[in-house]
Amino acid sequence: MIADRQACFQLKASFFPCTILQISHYDLNQLEQQLFATIQRAPNFFLGSPVIIDLEKIKDLTTVDFSQLKKVLINSSLVPMGIRNGSEKQHIAAVSAGLPVVTIGKNSKETTQPTTEPEKQVAQPSTPGSKLVTTPIRSGMQIYAKDADLIVLAPVSVGAELLADGHIHVYGPLRGRALAGVRGNKDARIFCQKLDAELVSIAGYYLVKEELQNDADGGMMQIYLENEEVKLTKCGR
Amino acid sequence: MAEVIVVTSGKGGVGKTTTSASLAVGLSNRGYKTVVIDFDIGLRNLDLIMGCERRVVYDFINVIRGEANLNQALIRDKHAKELYILPASQTRDKDALTQEGVQKVLDELQKTFDYIVCDSPAGIEHGAQMAMYFADHAVVVTNPEVSSVRDSDRMLGLLSSKTKRAEERREPVKEHLLITRYSPKRVTRGDMMSLEDVNEILAIPLLGVIPESQAVLRASNAGDPVILDEESDAGQAYADAIERFLGEDKPFRFVSEKVHWIKRLFSIKEKEHA
Ligand SMILES: Nc1ncnc2c1ncn2[C@@H]1O[C@H](COP(=O)(O)OP(=O)(O)OP(=O)(O)O)[C@@H](O)[C@H]1O
Ligand SMILES: [Mg+2]
């Protein structure tokens, strides 16, 4: 708590949320329009949020104008951080346009199988492979269950964030954000007693509050991925 | 050993200082030797609310820096018998509020007092964290509106992680919710969150509900904490909150709209006709 006057900085491990913009069809005008529409739906979530451009699906394209692409994102109030999964040529072009090649938020391929590293970072593993939290998760708090499921026996507030490599179970109202399978496990699911979340995500595919509202009917819900689409159903159905 | 109570909120201007003053007077009037400390370095409000601003010579920071001893800085309250005030400094030097310094002062106060009330500054930065760090109890002051509730929620998160009790994995800080500036009329009209809504989100024991009241401003201007205005709704609500803090069971007052008896009569008539 005491400020150390000698130290100029502190390194903090973080799971700072970063949105991946996977471009499947390169058309800057269309891209701009679609971004505008998306941001309109959830301004709080997107405005000023960092974005990594994923080139996986347009790898073979040699005509990508990176400085123009960067402008489009900035004009949409996003913060382009860099690119990934492009070809060698694309990488060179991107870097000269001021978009570095980033290696965080790894390739989807690498992470479909969650790696089984030793459990040293799970603070209090309840049983191997799961992390149990019994106190409320308040606004500004973030809980990560590394290589594990996360089980929460208390409310999760607006502004709180749950992350797990495995499933997430919330026996209480889920009002914050829940991201299951954060390292790419598409079989991860989210279960919660009362769904009122700001955002739910499975392996990086997500739905924001506006998209959740119609389907959440107050009962126990589950959220899972089917054909790259996030689905929600009532539990036991 | 004294118990340390932090009065905190996150959001500014919700009624922390008003609450600290009335809580301190209330506890001392119930026979507990109490000291109330202003952690709002640079702004200094508590002494005004307590009506002792002219008697401030030395302050909290002077004591931390060793420029004065505690007895020189403590001001005896004019309203209650066993009550002292430790005012904030106006030097604006927030960094002077070090954890060791605060600990030193609290340790010394622990010896002679039953309760130490810490009036926190707004925000979640250094000053607020210093005010809460050594707390045994936290009175979380919340106005019935979304941003205040959100900030209180944030504060509760910090209380469960950034306090001495949390760091030492001891029994957690006891949390108490105090809803202030409550207006049943505005709740009915739908432009204020209801008691139940606030309670559902924060989900901690409710210590009291203080109504929006003219008496508070009057009390501040006079330098007499509102709990001393025994006729007033806010004064009575604070008195109830003190009793609850001390473990008594008190029904909640001033939480639903008063309906004038003539109106009530009319509404019964209307029902009969219907
Ligand atoms: N129950 C109430 N009814 C009406 N006015 C109130 C009530 N409680 C507080 N106020 C008014 O709200 C204002 C802020 O109160 P106070 O100074 O106690 O808040 P605070 O949380 O300490 O503020 P800060 O964050 O600046 O320290 C004052 O003008 C006070 O008179
Ligand atoms: Mg104040």
Side-chain angles (χ1 to χ4, degrees), chain B residues 81-112:
Chain B
K81 229 189 359 207
E82 296 280 15
L83 177 59
Y84 290 82
I85 299 132
L86 186 53
S89 125
Q90 276 178 317
T91 58
R92 292 163 178 271
D93 197 354
K94 285 198 174 92
D95 291 342
L97 210 55
T98 61
Q99 189 170 304
E100 289 96 353
V102 174
Q103 170 135 43
K104 189 186 79 177
V105 173
L106 292 184
D107 280 350
E108 208 173 330
L109 293 170
Q110 294 268 8
K111 292 181 206 150
T112 39

Side-chain angles (χ1 to χ4, degrees), chain A residues 111-157:
Chain A
T111 50
T112 21
Q113 292 293 323
T115 49
T116 41
E117 286 166 31
E119 288 228 309
K120 55 179 186 285
Q121 287 205 23
V122 182
Q124 294 165 289
S126 318
T127 51
S130 74
K131 182 183 172 87
L132 177 71
V133 180
T134 55
T135 50
I137 320 278
R138 306 285 184 179
S139 180
M141 293 170 78
Q142 188 186 53
I143 306 281
Y144 175 43
K146 188 175 157 58
D147 295 329
D149 294 344
L150 178 59
I151 303 166
V152 179
L153 301 177
V156 178
S157 296

